[in-house]
């Protein structure tokens, strides 16, 4: 176990309070006792079959629940289904067409309410437009947008015609867009003129133009008008969204898709410089998102759900789009940042729409703590009945603050552990049943099997720590990595053979509850976003002044971890703060602003073993100012002393 992990445990142990569900909450909760766990334990496949019958509308029911040829799963084999039908038509046909699907809040203050019937119409129009542009079943379509309603419309329009979407977070750079479009072989890219962000604009269309100079497969670009500012349009290639949909019919037959047809790919960072295109298919993914959304967030007919993630990440795919729409729930969708025009924007939004469930990342909560409780205190947040977190371990202090100052000391807080790869929530409380412990995601959901194991794959005893693994296939599991089955096997299955290796360290306590403690591989978690150390290193060495670079995560009070880079310059290049700024920008250009190193320490040499391997573990200890212990395997021990003083000077400078 790493030192960081043991530091975390110490912090966790200090908070001993537990929070059983209140009788009031349990009385109306949609899961009220343990029976769901017992049922799933008795026969997991029968359990999932029953959930599929409850949640999914197949136009042809499946024949087999699961075909498991380790490590490749097929769920609900033989079923025919369409994700956009599941999310839209079903509700309209049942007479709920007038229910709002989205209460959309633009950053500048403009708003839109979109009912299920309206969303269906928009999806059909755009689906027809995509067909008219030559997009076919089985194609991949790129989406690079901000948080506007046309983003879920675009995703569902793809699903309607059987094309897989590949959404790229709007904060990524042109190069990152180009890489993902090339890897997925997307034929069309949907974007917008610009996005609003903290009162200024993000030049999405311009980034797309730069990206397209480096892609071969994109033939067509569709541009949604958002800010209305002038953007260059390339004749014959670029089309305005509003022009395309205007003349299209308002209905479009949903394509009959196989349960196992690809619904989307979503790229996530791994331990190499090349992001992985995670594949999710149709029926299993829909079931995982709908079931978990229902039981973990205790969905009620009048729920107003707000997942404050960006749709560019998996959390937004699963809990802004497919889970809530599948369940016919009303969601708030917000375009901008939490501090525009002031630091109470979220709380004003909750009050305005009567939000009942809020789902966000610990990094946001820590930021709100820093801003102060006076911002939430200005607003009536009494509509909230449940709070959730995701993306990184939550420190008990933030958990308690969240419950106290946002949840009014009343609401349960559900800490949900999952990954892009799992499709939906895996380990989390059921709020009407589970005793909550600040800092613990508690236990695997009914139907999910997880364990904490040692290096050899043996379960650790209660109270022990090790690696988190998933021990049975689940409906929403990734079906592989786009174009790279070998990497899929190697990343997740080679370590233990028959168990899915999640890449997370975890501890299991005396009650069997899980405490996640961060990644155990070369993946950093900055503000809940996964960033690969190797990817940032490659971006740094791409700069002409850099000879060598090593990147590690450094603990950060606000963002969880921050990127710390150690950089050796080429001969003759002078160290300077200007150069450090230039290197940060270079990383921003190649990957995106989220990957920019917060700390850059120049060093004449990196600490290496005698065989020439960079000692990353040591660099992390240096950046976090820890005692280094034994450094005898180093080729040159002096390098370390020098680095320690440089890193300390760097840390002082930034304070
Ligand atoms: C981390 C986000 C602790 C974990 C849905 C995982 C968490 C990675 C939690 C996946 C949590 C997510 N407690 N750690 N509740 N939720 N993580 O793919 O390290 O962006 O492996 O999916 O985030 O990040 P991803």
């Amino acid at each position: 176990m790493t030192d960081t992990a043991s530091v975390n445990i110490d912090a966790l142990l200090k908070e001993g309070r537990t929070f059983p569900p209140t009788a009031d909450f349990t009385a109306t909760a949609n899961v009220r006792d343990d029976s769901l766990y017992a049922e799933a334990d008795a026969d997991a496949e029968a359990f999932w079959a029953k959930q599929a019958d409850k949640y999914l509308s197949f136009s042809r029911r499946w024949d087999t629940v699961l075909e498991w040829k380790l490590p490749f799963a097929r769920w609900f084999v033989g079923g025919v289904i369409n994700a956009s039908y599941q999310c839209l038509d079903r509700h309209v046909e049942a007479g709920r067409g007038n229910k709002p699907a989205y209460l959309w809040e633009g950053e500048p203050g403009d708003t839109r309410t979109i009912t299920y019937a309206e969303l269906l119409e928009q999806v059909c129009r755009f689906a027809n437009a995509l067909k008219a542009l030559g997009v076919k079943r089985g194609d991949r379509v790129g989406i690079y947008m901000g948080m506007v309603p046309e983003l879920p419309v675009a995703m569902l329009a793809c699903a309607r015609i059987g094309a897989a979407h590949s959404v790229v977070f709007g904060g990524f750079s042109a190069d990152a867009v180009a890489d993902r479009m090339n890897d997925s072989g997307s034929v069309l890219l949907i974007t917008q003129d610009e996005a609003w962000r903290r009162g200024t604009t993000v030049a999405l269309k311009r980034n797309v133009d730069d990206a397209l100079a480096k892609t071969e497969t994109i033939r067509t670009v569709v541009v949604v008008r958002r800010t209305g500012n002038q953007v260059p349009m390339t004749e014959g290639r670029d089309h305005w969204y509003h022009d395309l949909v205007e003349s299209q019919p308002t209905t479009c037959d949903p394509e009959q898709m196989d349960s196992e047809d690809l619904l989307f790919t979503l790229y996530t960072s791994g331990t190499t410089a090349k992001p992985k295109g995670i594949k999710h298919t149709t029926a299993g993914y829909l079931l995982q998102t709908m079931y978990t959304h229902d039981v973990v967030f205790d969905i009620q007919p009048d729920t107003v759900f707000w997942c404050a993630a960006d749709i560019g990440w998996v959390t937004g795919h699963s809990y802004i789009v497919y889970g809530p729409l599948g369940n016919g729930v009303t969601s708030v969708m917000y375009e901008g940042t939490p501090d525009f025009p002031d630091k109470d924007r979220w709380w004003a939004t909750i009050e305005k729409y009567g939000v009942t469930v809020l789902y966000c990342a610990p990094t946001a909560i820590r930021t709100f703590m820093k801003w102060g409780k006076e911002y939430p205190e200005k607003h009536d947040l009494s509509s909230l009945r449940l709070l959730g977190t995701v993306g990184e371990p939550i420190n008990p202090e933030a958990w308690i603050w969240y419950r106290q100052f946002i949840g009014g000391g009343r609401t349960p807080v559900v800490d949900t552990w999952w990954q892009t790869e799992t499709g939906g929530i895996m380990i989390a409380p059921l709020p009407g049943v589970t005793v909550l412990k600040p800092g613990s995601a508690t236990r695997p959901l009914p139907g999910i099997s997880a364990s904490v194991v040692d290096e050899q794959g043996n379960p650790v005893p209660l109270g022990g720590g090790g690696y988190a693994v998933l021990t049975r296939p689940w409906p929403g599991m990734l079906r592989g990595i786009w174009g790279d089955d070998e990497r899929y096997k190697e990343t997740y299955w080679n370590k233990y053979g028959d168990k899915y290796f999640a890449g997370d360290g975890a501890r299991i306590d005396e009650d069997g509850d899980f405490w996640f403690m961060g990644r155990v591989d070369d993946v950093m978690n900055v503000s809940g976003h996964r960033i690969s150390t190797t990817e940032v290193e490659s971006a740094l060495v791409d700069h002409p002044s850099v000879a060598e670079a090593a990147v590690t995560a450094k603990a950060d009070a606000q963002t969880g971890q921050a990127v710390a880079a150690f950089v050796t310059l080429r001969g003759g290049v002078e160290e300077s703060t200007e150069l450090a700024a230039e290197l940060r920008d270079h990383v921003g250009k190649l990957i995106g602003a989220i990957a920019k190193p917060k700390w850059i320490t120049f060093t004449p040499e990196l600490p290496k073993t005698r065989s020439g391997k960079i000692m990353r573990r040591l660099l992390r200890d240096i950046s976090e100012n820890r005692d280094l212990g034994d450094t005898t395997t180093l080729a040159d021990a002096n390098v370390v002393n020098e680095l320690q003083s440089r890193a300390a000077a760097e840390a002082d400078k930034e304070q």
Side-chain angles (χ1 to χ4, degrees):
M1 195 180 301
T2 63
D3 293 346
T4 329
S6 46
V7 171
N8 284 347
I9 288 181
D10 288 346
L12 294 173
L13 292 179
K14 280 188 206 133
E15 175 55 66
R17 273 177 287 177
T18 57
F19 299 83
T22 62
D24 273 1
F25 192 94
T26 304
T28 59
N30 53 30
V31 185
R32 296 175 199 175
D33 59 40
D34 268 348
S35 55
L36 215 53
Y37 292 103
E39 193 187 322
D41 284 346
D43 186 344
E45 284 186 30
F47 171 82
W48 285 117
K50 190 169 153 191
Q51 301 310 318
D53 285 339
K54 175 173 173 188
Y55 287 100
L56 300 180
S57 296
F58 288 93
S59 55
R60 179 192 183 281
R61 191 176 181 269
W62 43 273
D63 307 305
T64 314
V65 186
L66 169 66
E67 267 176 30
W68 179 225
K69 294 196 183 113
L70 193 136
F72 294 97
R74 293 164 58 78
W75 282 88
F76 311 113
V77 182
V80 176
I81 190 166
N82 181 287
S84 87
Y85 179 87
Q86 177 76 25
C87 290
L88 303 170
D89 308 59
R90 249 166 28 103
H91 309 307
V92 176
E93 287 167 10
R96 295 189 297 270
N98 289 332
K99 182 171 181 177
Y102 289 117
L103 304 168
W104 180 79
E105 169 94 1
E107 193 187 75
D110 48 340
T111 61
R112 283 163 71 181
T113 297
I114 301 160
T115 65
Y116 274 91
E118 288 165 347
L119 192 59
L120 173 60
E121 186 186 315
Q122 290 182 28
V123 166
C124 288
R125 281 179 187 264
F126 191 48
N128 288 324
L130 288 175
K131 282 204 242 183
L133 291 169
V135 179
K136 294 187 195 59
R137 180 180 174 136
D139 282 345
R140 272 85 53 216
V141 171
I143 302 180
Y144 178 61
M145 298 176 74
M147 288 284 287
V148 294
E150 287 79 7
L151 168 52
V153 169
M155 293 162 76
L156 293 165
C158 289
R160 197 158 190 93
I161 64 171
H165 53 74
S166 193
V167 178
V168 181
F169 171 57
F172 276 124
S173 67
D175 286 61
V177 174
D179 288 348
R180 285 157 176 78
M181 292 306 111
N182 287 333
D183 190 76
S184 60
S186 292
V187 297
L188 179 143
L189 181 54
I190 306 160
T191 188
Q192 60 191 66
D193 48 5
E194 298 166 322
W196 283 117
R197 189 174 165 78
R198 199 170 281 122
T200 62
T201 55
V202 183
L204 294 178
K205 173 61 166 66
R206 272 173 218 275
N207 286 347
V208 163
D209 288 341
D210 291 347
L212 287 206
K214 297 178 183 169
T215 61
E216 300 94 43
T217 55
I218 306 273
R219 300 185 299 257
T220 314
V221 177
V222 176
V223 188
V224 172
R225 179 172 281 158
R226 170 57 183 139
T227 64
N229 291 331
Q230 197 93 49
V231 291
M233 295 288 279
T234 301
E235 186 70 35
R237 185 195 74 182
D238 301 350
H239 306 264
W240 285 108
Y241 176 95
H242 54 266
D243 289 341
L244 293 173
V245 295
E246 199 185 346
S247 56
Q248 291 297 338
T250 56
T251 59
C252 169
D253 284 342
E255 196 71 23
Q256 300 288 302
M257 304 305 287
D258 188 275
S259 289
E260 281 297 329
D261 275 332
L262 186 68
L263 180 61
F264 66 86
T265 61
L266 182 62
Y267 284 79
T268 188
S269 290
T271 52
T272 70
K274 189 173 164 356
K276 303 174 282 197
I278 302 297
K279 294 195 287 188
H280 282 292
T281 57
T282 308
Y285 172 80
L286 283 172
L287 180 60
Q288 184 92 26
T289 55
M290 289 174 61
Y291 158 72
T292 56
H293 179 252
D294 190 22
V295 299
V296 175
F297 299 113
D298 194 41
I299 297 307
Q300 308 281 328
D302 60 352
T303 294
V304 178
F305 184 76
W306 184 14
C307 167
D310 191 290
I311 292 177
W313 308 107
V314 75
T315 306
H317 278 61
S318 299
Y319 299 104
I320 301 178
V321 185
Y322 291 106
L325 294 180
N327 286 331
V329 166
T330 297
S331 279
V332 166
M333 179 175 166
Y334 172 53
E335 181 182 36
T337 61
D339 54 352
F340 188 85
D342 203 352
K343 298 187 175 70
D344 65 343
R345 184 65 181 270
W346 277 27
W347 321 127
T349 303
I350 288 172
E351 182 172 16
K352 178 169 171 185
Y353 296 105
V355 171
T356 63
V357 184
L358 174 67
Y359 188 36
C360 70
T363 186
I365 299 164
R366 289 192 295 267
T367 303
F368 298 135
M369 285 171 74
K370 198 180 81 184
W371 289 345
K373 62 181 171 33
E374 53 273 26
Y375 291 100
E377 274 172 358
K378 275 197 260 180
H379 296 278
D380 177 5
L381 304 181
S382 60
S383 58
L384 288 169
R385 68 183 287 273
L386 181 65
L387 303 173
T389 74
V390 60
E392 48 176 326
I394 182 163
N395 46 314
E397 192 194 356
W399 194 105
I400 295 278
W401 189 93
Y402 192 32
R403 183 175 186 278
Q404 189 60 36
F405 295 107
I406 308 305
R410 295 170 281 113
T411 61
V413 175
V414 290
D415 174 2
T416 66
W417 179 89
W418 59 293
Q419 310 180 296
T420 305
E421 291 87 340
T422 70
I425 297 170
M426 301 292 282
I427 299 183
L430 295 177
V433 178
T434 313
V435 175
L436 305 174
K437 297 176 186 169
S440 169
T442 73
R443 53 195 280 216
L445 290 177
I448 302 300
S449 295
S451 180
V452 180
V453 299
D454 63 18
E455 200 61 48
Q456 286 70 44
N458 304 310
V460 301
L462 294 184
Y467 303 103
V469 292
L470 300 166
T471 52
R472 248 202 326 242
W474 63 100
M477 71 189 286
L478 74 165
R479 298 303 195 262
I481 295 173
W482 179 259
D484 203 343
D485 283 350
E486 273 317 303
R487 191 175 178 192
Y488 168 62
K489 291 182 197 158
E490 191 195 304
T491 309
Y492 306 104
W493 300 95
N494 273 8
K495 190 167 172 76
Y496 294 121
D498 58 347
K499 300 180 187 75
Y500 170 92
F501 174 66
D504 274 30
R507 192 174 72 88
I508 192 153
D509 72 13
E510 307 300 334
D511 303 323
D513 283 327
F514 284 67
W515 300 74
F516 284 93
M517 288 175 310
R519 304 287 307 184
V520 293
D521 54 12
D522 292 330
V523 176
M524 300 173 283
N525 190 327
V526 179
S527 298
H529 302 317
R530 275 162 72 170
I531 300 168
S532 144
T533 53
T534 345
E535 206 177 343
V536 180
E537 284 167 5
S538 316
L540 285 167
V541 296
D542 181 77
H543 190 280
S545 301
V546 175
E548 205 173 21
V551 166
T552 117
K554 173 173 160 131
D556 187 279
Q558 203 164 319
T559 57
Q561 293 187 322
V563 180
F566 295 85
V567 173
T568 306
L569 295 172
R570 284 184 193 275
V573 180
E574 289 283 318
E575 295 171 12
S576 68
T577 38
E578 290 74 30
L579 180 58
E582 197 179 312
L583 296 182
R584 283 191 182 94
D585 286 345
H586 194 68
V587 174
K589 180 175 167 299
L590 292 193
I591 306 174
I594 47 164
K596 285 185 183 180
K598 178 169 176 183
W599 311 96
I600 294 184
T601 306
F602 291 114
T603 168
E605 247 181 289
L606 289 167
K608 291 188 185 155
T609 60
R610 294 198 177 106
S611 62
K613 267 185 82 175
I614 296 175
M615 296 184 74
R616 285 162 210 285
R617 162 81 193 275
L618 189 76
L619 287 172
R620 201 170 57 221
D621 288 342
I622 290 172
S623 72
E624 295 183 345
N625 202 12
R626 260 193 303 276
D627 185 18
L628 301 183
D630 183 12
T631 52
T632 49
T633 50
L634 274 178
D636 179 358
N638 288 329
V639 173
V640 171
N641 301 336
E642 173 72 17
L643 259 181
Q644 274 180 310
S645 58
R646 281 171 178 252
E650 190 62 30
D652 286 345
K653 220 173 11 189
E654 301 255 345
Q655 278 210 342

